[in-house]
Amino acid sequence: MTQYVILNKTDLDEFISRLAQIKKTVAPVKRGVKNYAFEEVTSGKNVAVKYIPTILPPKKYFLPQTETLQQYDKSKKTWNAVMEFQEMIIFGVHTCDLAGIQCLNMAFSDKPKDINYLARKNRILIIGLECNDYCDEYASCKVMDNHMPNGGYDLFFTELDDFFMVHINTLEGEDLIEKTGLFKEAKEEHKKALKAMREEKRKRFKDEVNVTHNQLKPLFDKSFEAPVWQSLEARCVSCGNCTNVCPTCYCFDIEDEIDLNLTTGVRKRRWDSCQNEPFAQVAGGENFREARGERQRHRYLRKFKYPVDKYSRYFCTGCGRCSRTCMAKINLKETINELAQGAK
Amino acid sequence: MKRVTLKESAYNVKTGKILVAKMLTAQEKYFKIALAGGESLDHEPGQFVMVAVPGVGEAPISVSSSPTIRGYFELVVRDAGKLTHVLHQLEAGDTVGIRGPFGVGFPTQILEGNDLVFVAGGLGIVPLRSLINFVIDNRRDFGKVSILLGCKTPQDMLFGDEVDQWEKRLDVNFNCTVDKADPDWKGNVGLITSLIPGVTLDIERTFAIVVGPPIMYKFVIAELLKKNIPERQIYLSLERHMKCGVGKCGHCQIGDVYCCQDGPVFSYDKIKNNIEAL
Ligand SMILES: Cc1cc2nc3c(=O)[nH]c(=O)nc-3n(C[C@H](O)[C@H](O)[C@H](O)COP(=O)(O)OP(=O)(O)OC[C@H]3O[C@@H](n4cnc5c(N)ncnc54)[C@H](O)[C@@H]3O)c2cc1C
Ligand code: SF4
Ligand code: SF4
Ligand code: FES
C-alpha cells in the first residue's frame, strides 16, 4: 500500500461530499467567535480546516453524553444488555484529540473490557488533520508530546502550499482513498515539503510550562499537600465544565428511565463529573472528596499521576479546553507552573 | 443510532428471585435470593453485587452469606435512599436484578492456618458475616478465632440468633459492646476500640479483619497497631460510592485504586499512604 498520497486543496470540498455519500461524516464547523464544533457535514463548504479545539472533543462520538446500556421489561422480568452505535467518519481530528481517543481506548479496553465502547469505536473511521502552528495560548501539546502525529488515525491530512499530504495508516483508510478517487500519488517534492514544514514546526513548538514532559510525573507524585490546591479551592465553582470538555475524562453516572407504560424502560449512562460535590458521597453522609480543592487535585492527578502509574501514559493531551472554558479562569499551565515553583 | 443486543457485557443483569424477606431491625431488611435457573453466584467472602430494580436504579450490596452455602445467597439492606427504600417494599416471590459478584474479597487462602480477629462495627457485620461463617464452616482450617462486635444500641444488633451461636461456641472467643445500653443489656458498654486491649494475640500469626463505618477505621487500626500486629496483617473493607462496579465510572476511586475492582477489601499496608483512603 502506498503510504502517502496528495489531494489538491480545490478538491477538498468534493472529497467531503463523497465521504458523506459513503457514510455519515462529521467535521469541525465554525459556531461563532473562536468557537468550533464537530457536526455532520454533507460538503466541504462549512468545514473549518483551521480551527482551535472544538467545544467538545470527538469523545462525544466515542462515549456519547448519554447511552443506553440495558433494556428491561418488568412484566416479563427480563433484562437485555444492549449497545448503541453509528457508522461514521470523523474528518479533521487534531493530534491532541487523536491522543485523547487513544487514552479512552486504553481505559475502556482495560479489563473488564467495556464492550459498548470498544464495539462502537471500531465503527468510527478517523481522519486526522495536522496543526502546522499553535491554535492559541491555552494549548500545551508540545510538553504533552502530542503536537506531532502519533498514530490513532486511518488517514492523516497535512495542509501544505496548495495540496494536502495524506498519510494512509490503515486498510480502511486506503479504502476511503480508493472510493473517493480524488488522490494522486505523492512525489519526492511533496515529501520534501512535508519534511520542511515539520522541521519549521519543531522549532516553533516549545514546552509550554516550566517543566519538561518527564518532570511532570515526579512533580505530581509529590503534589498531595501542595498549596496550589488551596488556591483552586478558593476559585473553582464546581461547575464541571472542565471535565465535560476534556477529551480524556470518562467518568459516568448510571440512571434508569421508565417508559410511559410503566413496564418497559432503559438503563443509561451519562457523563458525570468528579467536580460535582456528591460524586464521592456515600449513604450515611460521608463525602470522600468534600472540598473543591480535593476534587481539583483529583482531576489533575487523574491526568498526570494515576494513569501514568497504571498505563504509562499521561491523560492530558494538552488541548487546553479546560483552561479555555473555565469561568473561574483556572488555567492548567499556570497550575503546573505554580506547582513547579512551589517544588523548588 | 443503531441498537443491538450484547451477549457479553459488564452490564448484563441476572434475575434474582427473593425466597425470603424479613425485617431484622427497624432499618435493616434481610433477603434470601436465588438466581434464575439454579445458577450459583460463586462469590468470595467480602465481595458485593449490584442489586437492581428496573426503573429505580442499582446499588452495591455486600453478600452477607458464606459461599459454603449453595443454591442461594443473603443480603441485608439498610433503607438509606431511593433504591434501598424500594428494596424494602419487596417480599418473597418478587425479583431483583443482580450483577456481579464484583471486587476483591477477603484473602481466604492467606488467612488459612492463622489466628483471626474480626472487628465489626455497625453494618460492618453484614459483609464480615460472609467470612465469619466461611471460617466457622471450615473451622479446623483456621487457628484461634476472636469476634469483636460493636453497635449503637442492643436493638441495632443484627443476626442476634446467629451471634448467640457464635458466643456459645467453645472454639470462638466472642465479645460485644454497645454505645448505649438498655436495662436488659448484660454486655459491655463503650466503643468497639475498648474491646481490643483485652484480646491476647500472637502477632506472628494473627490477622485482623476490620469492617465498619468510615470513622471507625482510624481508631481501631491505632489500637491494633498498639498491639504490634504487622500492617500487612490488617485487612479492611472500604465503602465508596459506586455506579458501574467494573472500574470505569470513577465514582469509587480512592487515589490510584478503584474500590470496586482493587477492593473493597484492602490490606492496611497497601493503602496507609493513600491519602484518600482513611
Ligand atoms: C462495596 C459496598 C457494599 C455495600 N454493602 C451494603 C450492604 O450490605 N447493605 C446496605 O444496606 N448497604 C450497603 N452499601 C451501601 C449502599 O450501597 C448504599 O446505601 C446505597 O447505594 C444507597 O442507594 P440508594 O439509592 O438507596 O440511595 P440514594 O437515594 O441514591 O442516596 C442516598 C445516599 O447514598 C449515597 N449513594 C448513592 N448511591 C450510592 C452508591 N452507589 N454507593 C454508595 N453510596 C451511594 C448517596 O450519595 C446519598 O448520600 C454498600 C456499599 C458499597 C460501596
Ligand atoms: S471549569 Fe473551572 S470552575 Fe468549573 S469545575 Fe472546572 S476548574 Fe472548577
Ligand atoms: S486536562 Fe485540560 S488540557 Fe488536558 S486534555 Fe483535559 S481538557 Fe485538555
Ligand atoms: S464503581 Fe465505577 S469505577 Fe468503581
Side-chain angles (χ1 to χ4, degrees):
Chain A
M1 130 175 136
T2 23
Q3 279 227 301
Y4 283 100
V5 290
I6 62 162
L7 177 75
N8 280 333
K9 264 192 199 166
T10 46
D11 286 337
L12 182 71
D13 194 359
E14 184 58 26
F15 171 64
I16 304 277
S17 306
R18 291 188 190 181
L19 278 185
Q21 277 162 20
I22 298 172
K23 258 179 215 190
K24 171 175 172 170
T25 299
V26 301
V29 167
K30 196 164 169 58
R31 284 272 133 231
V33 187
K34 285 197 193 172
N35 266 336
Y36 297 85
F38 279 98
E39 281 176 15
E40 182 161 9
V41 293
T42 49
S43 79
K45 210 167 65 221
N46 296 324
V47 174
V49 176
K50 285 207 174 59
Y51 72 96
I52 64 167
T54 48
I55 305 164
L56 291 179
K59 159 177 101 173
K60 67 178 181 181
Y61 300 115
F62 289 79
L63 184 71
Q65 258 157 317
T66 67
E67 162 187 7
T68 302
L69 298 175
Q70 296 164 358
Q71 290 170 314
Y72 58 78
D73 185 329
K74 284 167 81 163
S75 64
K76 293 192 206 132
K77 302 192 165 85
T78 54
W79 306 80
N80 230 344
V82 297
M83 70 153 291
E84 293 180 324
F85 66 93
Q86 197 164 29
E87 299 271 351
M88 70 166 90
I89 302 168
I90 310 185
F91 174 82
V93 183
H94 283 168
T95 50
C96 57
D97 285 343
L98 291 173
I101 296 166
Q102 287 172 326
C103 290
L104 294 181
N105 291 349
M106 224 161 215
F108 284 101
S109 50
D110 193 11
K111 282 184 184 151
K113 292 182 182 197
D114 191 290
I115 307 295
N116 296 66
Y117 175 93
L118 295 174
R120 181 167 42 242
K121 106 171 150 71
N122 287 340
R123 292 177 164 85
I124 302 177
L125 293 175
I126 303 172
I127 305 181
L129 176 64
E130 183 149 9
C131 302
N132 298 6
D133 201 349
Y134 273 118
C135 50
D136 66 13
E137 71 279 13
Y138 294 107
S140 55
C141 50
K142 160 67 176 69
V143 73
M144 298 324 299
D145 210 8
N146 289 324
H147 60 313
M148 294 289 176
N150 245 323
Y153 51 79
D154 295 285
L155 295 174
F156 189 79
F157 277 51
T158 305
E159 189 182 5
L160 295 167
D161 309 330
D162 56 354
F163 64 95
F164 289 97
M165 186 72 161
V166 180
H167 180 228
I168 307 173
N169 197 35
T170 63
L171 279 175
E172 288 77 9
E174 191 175 31
D175 191 45
L176 288 181
I177 298 288
E178 272 167 22
K179 283 201 179 122
T180 50
L182 293 162
F183 295 79
K184 285 189 287 227
E185 198 161 329
K187 302 219 176 71
E188 240 357 86
E189 64 194 80
H190 300 120
K191 289 182 189 165
K192 270 198 191 128
L194 178 65
K195 220 174 142 209
M197 190 286 285
R198 293 255 168 95
E199 260 161 36
E200 271 306 298
K201 179 173 164 181
R202 282 211 171 80
K203 284 184 212 147
R204 233 183 338 258
F205 282 66
K206 302 223 165 64
D207 283 351
E208 298 86 355
V209 291
N210 302 334
V211 287
T212 64
H213 186 79
N214 289 336
Q215 287 168 337
L216 279 164
K217 170 66 167 46
L219 180 65
F220 278 90
D221 278 342
K222 289 181 302 227
S223 70
F224 287 117
E225 317 282 349
V228 70
W229 310 128
Q230 283 310 314
S231 120
L232 300 193
E233 161 90 31
R235 290 153 64 202
C236 174
V237 298
S238 300
C239 64
N241 285 345
C242 51
T243 57
N244 276 337
V245 301
C246 180
T248 72
C249 276
Y250 57 89
C251 286
F252 55 84
D253 202 351
I254 299 184
E255 272 173 15
D256 277 25
E257 280 174 15
I258 189 153
D259 299 335
L260 284 175
N261 61 22
L262 297 182
T263 310
T264 56
V266 290
R267 176 160 296 160
K268 290 192 156 179
R269 73 169 155 205
R270 67 181 77 236
W271 292 358
D272 200 349
S273 172
C274 62
Q275 301 306 301
N276 292 339
E277 193 178 328
F279 188 82
Q281 187 176 321
V282 296
E286 186 93 11
N287 188 340
F288 295 95
R289 254 174 252 114
E290 194 165 22
R292 284 190 293 262
E294 289 169 351
R295 298 201 290 276
Q296 276 294 318
R297 177 180 66 195
H298 183 66
R299 172 168 85 90
Y300 277 92
L301 293 177
R302 272 192 67 131
K303 306 295 160 203
F304 296 98
K305 173 168 166 54
Y306 304 147
V308 190
D309 287 330
K310 200 166 179 179
Y311 305 117
S312 304
R313 175 175 189 131
Y314 289 115
F315 265 41
C316 174
T317 68
C319 71
R321 283 187 178 88
C322 54
S323 312
R324 240 171 249 121
T325 192
C326 180
M327 48 186 153
K329 297 207 161 42
I330 290 173
N331 183 302
L332 180 117
K333 283 160 57 180
E334 285 169 16
T335 306
I336 293 173
N337 283 340
E338 266 180 66
L339 259 182
Q341 184 64 30
K344 267 191 194 150
Chain B
M1 199 68 90
K2 288 193 190 122
R3 198 183 274 181
V4 294
T5 302
L6 281 180
K7 281 230 168 58
E8 270 174 73
S9 158
Y11 302 103
N12 251 324
V13 176
K14 295 171 191 158
T15 306
K17 186 159 186 204
I18 300 176
L19 305 177
V20 177
K22 62 172 188 233
M23 293 304 290
L24 294 184
T25 70
Q27 283 183 73
E28 276 98 30
K29 192 161 183 171
Y30 161 95
F31 297 96
K32 181 170 170 178
I33 297 173
L35 292 179
E39 191 184 338
S40 152
L41 183 67
D42 252 343
H43 69 289
E44 305 272 339
Q47 284 192 304
F48 64 94
V49 288
M50 295 298 279
V51 182
V53 177
V56 185
E58 256 185 340
I61 303 291
S62 313
V63 183
S64 185
S65 50
S66 160
T68 36
I69 295 177
R70 313 296 291 182
Y72 67 88
F73 59 94
E74 297 168 317
L75 308 176
V76 176
V77 178
R78 172 175 287 180
D79 184 351
K82 198 169 116 201
L83 180 92
T84 47
H85 190 71
V86 174
L87 284 179
H88 270 231
Q89 318 305 312
L90 301 182
E91 297 299 341
D94 290 333
T95 56
V96 288
I98 299 287
R99 281 199 297 136
F102 292 119
V104 175
F106 299 106
T108 47
Q109 274 119 329
I110 295 176
L111 301 181
E112 246 182 62
N114 290 300
D115 294 351
L116 307 177
V117 178
F118 296 106
V119 185
L123 217 51
I125 188 64
V126 170
L128 202 52
R129 176 174 169 261
S130 67
L131 180 63
I132 293 176
N133 283 339
F134 178 85
V135 168
I136 287 179
D137 289 343
N138 298 282
R139 185 62 191 86
R140 66 170 187 215
D141 298 337
F142 297 88
K144 267 172 55 186
V145 172
S146 310
I147 301 174
L148 309 180
L149 210 60
C151 52
K152 283 206 180 101
T153 72
Q155 283 75 38
D156 296 317
M157 176 82 76
L158 295 168
F159 300 108
D161 295 345
E162 227 170 275
V163 169
D164 283 346
Q165 292 304 314
W166 297 342
E167 190 168 7
K168 285 193 191 117
R169 287 183 73 114
L170 294 174
D171 55 3
V172 170
N173 176 359
F174 180 88
N175 214 340
C176 172
T177 181
V178 296
D179 297 354
K180 241 174 81 194
D182 61 15
D184 293 336
W185 181 253
K186 293 184 189 66
N188 303 294
V189 180
L191 296 178
I192 185 134
T193 39
S194 63
L195 298 180
I196 297 171
V199 183
T200 45
L201 45 82
D202 174 357
I203 58 164
E204 296 289 309
R205 53 173 302 194
T206 299
F207 282 76
I209 301 107
V210 187
V211 192
I215 175 92
M216 187 186 97
Y217 287 111
K218 263 182 226 150
F219 300 105
V220 167
I221 289 166
E223 285 300 325
L224 290 169
L225 293 176
K226 271 191 216 158
K227 298 219 122 197
N228 293 320
I229 296 192
E231 288 169 346
R232 62 175 183 84
Q233 286 168 222
I234 302 175
Y235 280 88
L236 323 163
S237 176
L238 300 183
E239 183 184 344
R240 287 297 183 273
H241 195 127
M242 291 184 180
K243 284 295 177 183
C244 69
V246 287
K248 302 286 186 277
C249 76
H251 279 272
C252 73
Q253 209 176 349
I254 309 170
D256 59 347
V257 297
Y258 288 84
C259 190
C260 69
Q261 284 282 306
D262 305 312
V265 174
F266 296 94
S267 67
Y268 177 61
D269 65 321
K270 291 270 161 56
I271 47 159
K272 65 168 185 178
N273 293 325
N274 184 329
I275 48 158
E276 292 195 332
L278 296 171

